[in-house]
Amino acid sequence: MSTLPEQFSHARASQLEAQLAMVRNFTGKAIESVEKIVALNLTTSRAALEKSSAAVNQLIAAKDPRDLLALTTQGQAGFDGILAYGRQLLSIAAELQPGLTVPTP
């Protein structure tokens, strides 16, 4: 039969192990989410730079006012890109959220 101090020591050790496992899980989820956000930002930045470069080239090549008018109609594509970025960011946050909740005993 174990003594009371041994039981408390065992309980403290198991509680510490549970806390360390929770911290490891939290840290892993946070790092994974940061990696996804960085990758999303790099992809979005690269796409925005390519679109900007193409728009500048089209602006330089415009010879007629109708060509300039055609450039102004491309705003919808930029808005769609912003919405897609927001959806992907929300998806990453939604994946992270269940991993951050602390289970109640």
Side-chain angles (χ1 to χ4, degrees):
M1 187 183 212
S2 61
T3 64
L4 191 59
E6 289 175 357
Q7 291 175 352
F8 279 129
S9 176
H10 180 69
R12 273 186 295 198
S14 64
Q15 182 180 15
L16 182 61
E17 287 176 24
Q19 288 174 341
L20 286 174
M22 186 180 72
V23 168
R24 277 190 218 108
N25 182 39
F26 174 77
T27 304
K29 294 279 186 185
I31 289 173
E32 180 182 325
S33 294
V34 168
E35 289 173 350
K36 288 179 181 179
I37 291 171
V38 168
L40 174 63
N41 285 339
L42 285 173
T43 303
T44 303
S45 298
R46 188 175 296 125
L49 184 60
E50 289 172 2
K51 287 179 184 178
S52 298
S53 177
V56 168
N57 288 338
Q58 289 176 346
L59 184 63
I60 291 171
K63 306 238 187 276
D64 190 289
R66 283 182 239 144
D67 295 337
L68 293 176
L69 184 61
L71 290 176
T72 62
T73 60
Q74 294 178 354
Q76 181 66 32
F79 185 71
D80 292 341
I82 292 170
L83 288 177
Y85 175 82
R87 282 192 295 269
Q88 289 175 338
L89 197 58
L90 185 61
S91 172
I92 292 170
E95 289 175 8
L96 176 64
Q97 194 271 336
L100 298 181
T101 57
V102 178
T104 55

